[in-house]
Structure formats: structure tokens, C-alpha cells
Amino acid sequence: MAQQTKKTKKTILALTGALLVTSALTACGSKDDDTKTTTTTEPSTTATDGTTSERYAEPVTLKLMIDNQTSTEGIKAVADEIEKRYNIKTEFDLRPGGDEGDNLVKTRLATGEMDDLSFYNSGSLFKALKPEKYFLDVTNEPFMQNVMDSFLPTVSVDGKVYAAPSGASQAGAWLYNKKVYADLGLSVPKTWDELKANNEKIKAAGKTAVIGSYKDSWTSQLIVLADYANVQADAPTFADDFTNNKAKFADTPAALRSFQKLGEMQPYMNKDYLATTYDQAIKMLVDGTGVQYPMLTFALSNIFATYPDQIDNIGVFAQPADNADKTALTVWMPAAISIYKDGKNVEAAKKWLNFFASPEGMAIQATKAKPEGPYVIKGAQLPDDAYAGVKEMMPYFDNGNNAPALEFLSPLKGPNLPQLTVEVGAGMKSAEDNAKAYDKDVEKQAKQLGIQGW
Amino acid sequence: MQKASLTKASKRLYTYKFLLPAGIIYFVLFLLPTIMSFFFSMTRWDLVEWNFIGFDNYKTFFSESSLNIGFRNTLIYAVVTCSLKVILGLLLGVALTSGLRIKGYLRSVVFFPTLLSTIAVGIAFSSMMHPSQGLINKSLALAGIVGPDWLGDTSIALLSVAFVDVWKGVGMATVIFIAGIMSIPEDYYEALQIDGGNAWDRFWHITNPLVAPAMNSVIILSFIGGLRSFDLVWAMTKGGPGFSTDLIASIIYKQYQGGFYGLSTAGNVILFIGVSLLAFPLLKLLSKREVDL
């Protein structure tokens, strides 16, 4: 017995030793590989076409901090063109997205280690960074003349502008499978009741009418958030009153309605909505087992990347209001690109942004990344091969039937909204209770951020 | 003569000099942040600027609507994981110190989950616990059983996570128990054999009382671990659905994510005090139980 255990001990020791050695070897190997790749990319290929007098003699490298969930293809295309023209290289510094990314950006700003350029959400999240302390005031820069007025308030503090748009806007709306709609003889709903009637028919046909993907709890907020253009049609001053502690979700009928709408959808959702993820929801929508999905239109790009042949089969409609002539589309503004005030290459960064935020820059971006909504740069056109869903959104812009989402109009967005909307959407709590709970959550945030009037 | 000049006081100081390097590291990295956190918990703080607001953060923290769920869940989680780890760990420890032929192999099998990353375990189990696509419910379906939605059903979601915690943590408990059992001298068992005791007597009258120091370590470690547990819950449910699996630690983390640094610091101070209030009396109570070998 004892001998046997000794033997096994020996073999185990030998095995672990072997493992350690091999892992050390592989670690060395990968290190070698890394250095190799960096050295091979070192010699820069300088193109002769498109050179301007503003071109730097020596290459300048700018770092751009961007989250790892945004597709960088389009921005890279513009960055390559900038390198050709101005000899300014762009290094992409990837950071996590979501809340973790927020913390990272805030920490980097606080410790004075921000990159030359920062890519970040516009609206309430941007303002929470205190841009006036860290970013360059670009109000009077020539490139800001190109930017549409609708974008400016989302990146301004006290009338000064601190960022340029990173691309096209998008909408919070309902994506739907056009083929199933046609098969069942349905038409795009103009009122909330029509939407529910459609849901009944889809359910009767044995399909999921409304896809819920609450495993990724942020997706549960969409029905509430995408309703804001409708709220504003009924209560035009809600955003200001909400920010100034004069209006609440719970006692403003139009705003409370957003939570009620969410609560009414539970019977139409897929069975596993608490365990379904965003990626699974996209798959359901594309293969037609799920027919409608309340989502941001950036999902169109995900669909295009994974199921390119199905992209024209996905349509978009605005979340309907109770009354057809109040139905409007809720718009999400593009992310903001800002220049770090204390960066080493502020002048180069200005040049970078000057080209990036031009109609030409947007056109180059469109060659690699199709827009998920209209551009907010004056003179930038949608490309002809834009997604069918985006083309379907255009009437809402042509007729002016749209409004920015609340988070672009107010610095307040309670951090617990995803959990609260999961509870309402899953029928664990009533719309009224959680509208109240959300008001409390917002109050906590306003007090913590030290906003006046709270 | 030199030696004689060392007074008693300087002799004492002399020994402290050796403690100084470790003491400085401990002070800078552990004590100082703890003291600072008491201060920052009373401020509105954005990591750069702070302004003093007294006990407002504590008031806000205690009025948090999900806090009741958090306290209840934290206690349930700590008690369930701790007791299961003790019971299963002790049984496994006894089994793996017996004459089993393959006990060496079994010991590594039991210990193996402890080596895995908690986040990886959480992600793997949350996909296995998917109500229709997951491995667990698909296996149950073969036997004709319709499995529940392990992580979606609010009444069992917390227990599902606790189960995974036990799966992952029982190896460590077992190893501690094995060490405890091995250190019991063989003489006691021989004496019992002479007196004609059976296997149950061996366990109940010798192993059980004499393994108490090991058991206390397991209880303390797993109970405190349960109270401040966070990573597994975050990887598996992020406190959801809704707030149903929120623990104190996940509530604090969400406040930190919201940018409420002062408030979340206050939460951590409360957690610190809470864990101390529970852990110290527990330690005292348990050390009374220990029997000297």
C-alpha cells in the first residue's frame, strides 16, 4: 500500500513538473511571437495620394480609448485615411464596455492617465464624467459647424461643447421579422392596441410575439426607454421637470404608461425569457421563431455581421403610442469623441477630429460600417446600400416624428432601472410599484451626484 | 560589556525592529485604507473631490429598498453554504481517510473544483442550468422529469447559486478535515477497538470530538466566505432576476457602478462591522468546543 502511494506521488510530481515546464515554454513562445508581430508592423507604409500641406513630417501617434463592444471597423477605415493624409497614426486602446468601462474611464480621468482621444456615450453618462474638467472645449472649432444642433445638448455643459459625434444615430424601436409579418398578413402597428392585436395573431400562429432576453438585464429596459418620444408628445416638458425634481414617473400618467406597456407584454414573451441572452434573441428574430424584438437598432449591425443574407428581412417600427398621431421614434445619439485637455498631442487630435467629423469622414466610415440610423453631421448622406430597417426609419425623421431618449435630455438615469424593468416585465411587481421604486432610485442618484433642487 | 549596556527597553525595541517592514506594509495596504474608508463613507465623493455629508450615506444605505432582500439572502447563503460544506466535507473527509483503495484519486477529484476560477465555474454552470437548453434539465428530461428554471425561478435561484458554491468549495473543507482526522493519534482508535466499539462509535466518540479544531476552521472560513460572497453570484445571476439573488456585496457593487463612491464605501463599512459582529462571537463560541489532544 505505502509503496504504491509513494509511486503515485512520484508520478504526480513528475506530471506536474512536466506541466510546469511546458507551460513556461509556451509562455516564452508566445512572448517571442508578440515581439515579432510588433516589429513587423513597425515600418509604416506612407502613401503618396491624398497628402496635404498639413501633413506632419514625423509620424504622430494618437491613442483612442474605446470600448471593446463597439465595432471599430468603420472608425479604423477613417483612421487609416487620416494616417495617409496627416501622418497621424491611431492606436486603439480597448477598454471594457458597460459599467466596468465607466469605472475605468472615471479612474483614468481622475488619475490623469486618459488617452488623447476618448470614445464614450453621449448624454447623461458623458455629463457624469464632468467633461468641463477633463476635455477640450471644442465649441468654436471649425468642425463643430458640421454637427447638427440635435446632438449638441447631449455633449454640452453650461453652453460649451466638449465632443464631436462618432458616427450615426440609432433608434430604440421594435425590430420585426418581415417575412413572418407577410405570412401572417400583419401590418406595422400604429397604435398600442394594434400592436397587441398583432401579438395575439402571432401567438395564435404558435410563434413568440415579443422576444424577451432578460438574462442580459439591460435589454429589459427597452420598452420603457423607447417609449420616451411618445411620453414627450403627451408631456412636452417632462425631461426638464424630471431633472428639476418637479415631475415623477409614478405621477405623470404619460410616463407611467411606459412601465404599464412593459407589464402588458409578459403573456406574449418566449417561455425562457429569463434565461435568454441578447445573442439568442437575435437568432430567434432572424429565424422567425420570435417575431418582434424591442431593441436598439445597433442590433441590425450584429444581424448583418452574423446573418448577412437575412438583413433585409428585418424591419423597424417605432414603439406605438396609444394614439396613432402621437406615435414617434425615440432616437439614441451617437457616442461622443472628445479630446483630453492634458494630452500630449492636442493639436494633432484636433486635426484628427476635424477630418473624422466631416461628411467625408462619415462617408469613409460607411464603407466599412453601415449606419444604424441617420447621421448627425450636416451633409452626410445615408449610403444607398443602407439596411432596409434603417430606410424604414427615415419617414420618422423626414416628418419630424422623433425625439431623443430621456437619457440624452436629462443627466438622471437611475442605476437600478434594468432590475426594476425585469421585475415589471416578468410580472413580479406591478408597473405602478416599480415606477415609484424607480423615482426613488433616481432621487438617490440625484442626491449622490449633488444635483441642484434635490 | 557591550551586551550589558543593552537595557531591557532597548531589548524589547530590538525585536520590534524586525516587525517593522511587515508592519509598514500592513499599515499602508490594510490599516490605512480601512481608516480612510471610515472617513470617505461620510462624504459625497467622486474619487477626486469630496464633501462631508455626515451620516447621510448610512441613512441612504439603510433605506435602500433591496437591502432587506440583501440581508436575508446573505444570511441564507452563508448558512446554507457553510452547513453543507461542513456536513459534506466531514463525510468526505472520513471516507477519504478510510481504507478505500482509490482514495488518492478521489482526493484529487474532490479537490479539483477548488482550483478553478470562480467566474469560469459560474459561467459554465449558468449555461448548464438553462431551463430548456441546459445540460442539467436535458439530463433530467431523459428520466422524464421536467426540471425547474434553476436561475430564473426567484424562489430557488439563490439556492442554485449556493449549490454551485458548495460544489466548488467542498474540496477545501474536505482537505482541512482530512488533515484534522490524520492528526488524531491511532492509540485512541486502538483503545476503542479493545473496548469493542463499532464504526459508529469510532466516528462519534473519537473522530467527531477530536476533529473539532478542523471543523471550527471550516465553519469560520466558509461562514465568513458566505457573508462576503460576491463573485459567483455576479457571474451567474448579477443579483437577478430583479433583485431576488442580491447579496449585500452585490448591492454595494451596484452602487459603486452607479458612481456613488461615498455610498458604496458606507456599505462596505457596514458589511465590515456586520461580519465582525457575527464572526467574533462565533469564533469564541466555537473555540470553547475544542478539545485538547
Side-chain angles (χ1 to χ4, degrees), chain A residues 5 30 50 62 169 224 253 257 304 400 419 427 454:
Chain A
T5 45
S30 56
L62 292 179
S169 62
V224 170
R257 191 75 190 102
F304 185 62
Q419 287 78 28
W454 290 79

Side-chain angles (χ1 to χ4, degrees), chain A residues 249-251 256 259-260 420-421 423-424 427-441, chain B residues 65 243:
Chain A
F249 267 88
D251 48 26
L256 177 59
F259 279 89
Q260 288 166 338
L420 294 168
T421 46
E423 287 186 330
V424 174
M428 295 184 242
K429 291 272 174 65
S430 75
E432 289 74 14
D433 283 350
N434 272 12
K436 263 192 207 125
Y438 183 58
D439 286 332
K440 267 191 155 178
D441 197 37
Chain B
S65 54
F243 302 93

Side-chain angles (χ1 to χ4, degrees), chain A residues 140-402:
Chain A
N140 298 316
E141 295 297 330
F143 54 84
M144 291 312 289
Q145 307 308 315
N146 293 333
V147 179
M148 285 188 194
D149 290 344
S150 57
F151 179 76
L152 297 179
T154 70
V155 290
S156 301
V157 177
D158 296 332
K160 286 184 180 156
V161 187
Y162 294 96
S166 65
S169 62
Q170 54 171 323
W174 287 56
L175 308 187
Y176 68 103
N177 187 311
K178 284 196 208 167
K179 189 173 169 296
V180 181
Y181 250 60
D183 289 349
L184 299 177
L186 302 173
S187 57
V188 167
K190 291 275 173 257
T191 68
W192 188 252
D193 285 335
E194 282 175 33
L195 177 75
K196 284 210 272 189
N198 279 358
N199 288 350
E200 288 294 347
K201 283 179 199 157
I202 297 168
K203 198 177 169 187
K207 287 176 180 291
T208 295
V210 182
I211 306 172
S213 52
Y214 290 5
K215 177 83 187 171
D216 290 322
S217 58
W218 63 270
T219 63
S220 69
Q221 308 169 87
L222 254 294
I223 292 182
V224 170
L225 298 180
D227 202 42
Y228 185 69
N230 303 332
V231 174
Q232 193 173 290
D234 264 337
T237 59
F238 182 75
D240 280 340
D241 293 347
F242 177 69
T243 310
N244 297 322
N245 199 7
K246 285 182 198 145
K248 301 276 172 202
F249 267 88
D251 48 26
T252 308
L256 177 59
R257 191 75 190 102
S258 307
F259 279 89
Q260 288 166 338
K261 282 178 176 174
L262 172 63
E264 288 169 15
M265 287 299 108
Q266 204 256 354
Y268 307 114
M269 289 205 286
N270 38 318
K271 212 177 77 213
D272 294 339
Y273 61 91
L274 284 173
T276 304
T277 62
Y278 168 72
D279 291 332
Q280 290 162 341
I282 293 288
K283 187 166 179 288
M284 287 174 72
L285 178 69
V286 169
D287 67 22
T289 49
V291 184
Q292 308 170 102
Y293 187 31
M295 192 24 69
L296 290 165
T297 51
F298 72 60
L300 292 170
S301 290
N302 291 127
I303 295 172
F304 185 62
T306 322
Y307 315 95
D309 52 324
Q310 292 291 318
I311 184 67
D312 286 335
N313 189 25
I314 306 298
V316 176
F317 63 81
Q319 176 157 307
D322 289 317
N323 197 328
D325 48 81
K326 292 224 167 123
T327 296
L329 187 71
T330 306
V331 180
W332 263 251
M333 287 297 165
I337 297 188
S338 27
I339 300 173
Y340 183 46
K341 213 196 269 183
D342 303 326
K344 283 180 208 138
N345 299 309
V346 171
E347 281 310 311
K350 275 190 200 169
K351 258 181 204 168
W352 194 96
L353 208 53
N354 186 42
F355 181 78
F356 185 89
S358 65
E360 200 184 352
M362 293 295 144
I364 293 172
Q365 201 175 359
T367 59
K368 286 283 180 292
K370 296 190 186 187
E372 291 139 359
Y375 288 106
V376 293
I377 300 282
K378 289 171 199 159
Q381 297 290 326
L382 275 190
D384 293 335
D385 59 349
Y387 306 131
V390 172
K391 288 181 181 156
E392 211 174 339
M393 280 156 57
M394 292 317 288
Y396 295 103
F397 288 93
D398 297 341
N399 306 331
N401 277 341
N402 66 79

